[in-house]
């Protein structure tokens, strides 16, 4: 199959890099986003998100005329849907963005087109997307009713790239291709082969949906195991970092690292998509979510204890005199992304409950915004260490790792990442 024009619906952390990489292979790419500001920024050859080297690729793609952004879908040979899939209420998946995208592209579909769902989705979402498009285009046939003979081919090909390494992983990672029929899979595989150097492994749509959810649930469960161990070890006076290092010397053990909780828009969300489809059966997956979601509360308790210990050693002071410095706000090291960050949630709770000054150090941002702005002061490391009595280390950014271990003797420290306590 030859694809002259490719349209990417949703120009966020996945859609924009994907559009730019197709364009870098000299394909005509039409990017579509509901956000007119993002569209304008991209059409100026700039980007509205943070991802290493993406600005260079987008700038080249736009100036060479291969990539153009718009707010309204236009005809294309292939459509990739990369819109958010958050959860709502009691952790049920919210497919509202997929529904809107399906209805937006339906009017411009023509016989022979390929539509791919890239967004991480609950099992059955690809069939649902196809049903939404069919509803709007009774003149075209779709795989759920016409199988291999359908006018439109539909597949689920989940993204699997790690933020911060998106451009490399897009090209090098293997790709799971889940067509609604074998012909749909073949069409999707030939599209990805335009830039994917990894294997394009073919399966059906439901297995591809579950595969993506399984990958992130596996990681969530492993992190929950590490987080639970950290709480048990604290109780039993064992250094969890040393324990994990020792256990991982076994050839078949590979435990991940504890932290203040699990953040980001994927690992803390996707396991719920499995739970929502099989609530009685997904017991371990749910428990892992609960363990990871409860870790920030435990960090808050440890912070209160540290303040108490400081006051015991300084009986003339009150809690009002105790300065707490929270090191790190991002959801993981060496990025500037604060969304869904346990570090932000913990800092906000400390701010709400601690009567004394609270500082934050986040070397990857210039200013605080939203709910964090106001009482919270953003400081550089040295200034924060100079005035803080209690240090709460929340993110293992590179620059924090240079702070000497002697901090454990000069300050009360809650080290959620083990950067000093691991030795
Ligand atoms: N974390 C720990 N301990 C660890 C590893 C991670 O506490 O040992 C925490 C991080 O600090 C962070 C959270 O987990 O708060 C998630 O970070 P991450 O680096 O594990 O994952 P994400 O959310 O950046 O990206 C994941 C990746 N999935 C897997 O590794 C299985 C990525 O490949 C997916 O494409 C991405 O989710 C996604 O979009 O689904």
């Amino acid at each position: 199959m030859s694809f002259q024009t490719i349209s990417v619906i949703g120009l966020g952390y996945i859609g924009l890099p994907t559009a730019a990489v197709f364009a870098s292979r000299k394909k005509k790419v039409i990017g579509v986003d509901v956000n007119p500001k993002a569209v304008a920024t991209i059409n100026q050859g700039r980007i509205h998100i943070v991802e290493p080297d993406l600005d260079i690729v987008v700038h080249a793609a736009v100036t060479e005329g291969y990539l153009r952004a718009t707010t309204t879908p236009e005809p294309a040979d292939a459509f990739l849907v990369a819109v958010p899939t958050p959860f709502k209420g009691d952790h049920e998946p919210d497919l509202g963005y997929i529904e809107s995208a399906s209805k937006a592209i339906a009017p411009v579909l023509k016989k022979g087109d390929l539509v791919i769902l890239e967004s991480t989705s609950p099992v059955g979402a690809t069939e649902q997307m196809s049903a939404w498009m069919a509803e709007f285009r009774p003149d075209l046939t779709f795989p759920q009713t016409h199988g291999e003979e359908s006018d439109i081919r539909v597949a689920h090909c989940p993204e699997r790239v790690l933020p911060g390494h998106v451009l490399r992983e897009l090209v090098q990672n293997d790709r799971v291709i889940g067509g609604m029929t074998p012909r749909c899979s073949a069409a999707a595989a030939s599209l990805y082969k335009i830039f994917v150097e990894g294997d394009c492994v073919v399966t059906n749509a439901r297995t591809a949906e579950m595969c993506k959810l399984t990958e992130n649930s596996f990681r969530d469960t492993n992190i929950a195991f590490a987080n639970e161990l950290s709480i048990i070890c604290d109780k039993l006076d064992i250094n969890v970092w040393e324990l994990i290092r020792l256990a991982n010397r076994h050839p078949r053990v590979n435990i991940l690292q504890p932290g203040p909780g699990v953040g980001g828009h994927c690992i803390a969300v996707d396991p719920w998509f499995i739970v929502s489809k099989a609530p009685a059966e997904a017991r371990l997956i749910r428990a892992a979510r609960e363990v990871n979601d409860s870790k920030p509360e435990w960090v808050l308790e440890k912070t209160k204890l540290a303040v108490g210990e400081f006051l015991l050693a300084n009986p003339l002071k009150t809690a009002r005199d105790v300065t707490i410095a929270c090191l790190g706000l991002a959801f993981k090291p060496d990025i500037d992304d604060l969304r869904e960050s346990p570090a932000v949630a913990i800092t906000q709770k400390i701010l709400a409950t601690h009567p004394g000054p609270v500082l934050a150090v986040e070397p990857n941002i210039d200013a605080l915004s939203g709910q964090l702005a106001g009482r919270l002061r953003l400081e550089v490391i040295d200034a924060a260490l100079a005035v803080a009595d209690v240090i709460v280390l929340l993110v293992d950014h590179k620059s924090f790792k240079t702070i000497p271990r002697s901090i454990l003797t000069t300050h009360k420290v809650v080290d959620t990442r083990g950067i000093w306590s691991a030795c």
Side-chain angles (χ1 to χ4, degrees), residues 159-163 212 215-216 219 223 256-257 259 261-263 266-267 270 331-332 417:
E159 62 82 14
R160 311 161 99 186
V161 289
L162 196 66
K212 166 70 193 203
E215 291 158 14
N216 281 354
R219 196 159 168 83
I223 298 168
L256 290 174
Q257 298 300 305
V262 166
C266 312
I267 304 232
D270 304 349
F331 88 84
K332 64 182 201 173
R417 290 283 177 183

Side-chain angles (χ1 to χ4, degrees), residues 45 79 82 92 135 165 167 174 178 181 208 217 223 231 235-236 250 266 286 360 362-363 367 376 380 399-400 413:
F79 295 84
E92 300 110 34
E135 214 179 284
H165 303 269
L167 288 173
D174 292 345
T181 68
S217 298
I223 298 168
I231 295 170
K235 187 169 181 177
L236 303 182
H250 184 289
C266 312
R286 180 200 294 273
E362 179 41 76
L376 183 65
V380 295
S399 53
F400 296 157
V413 176

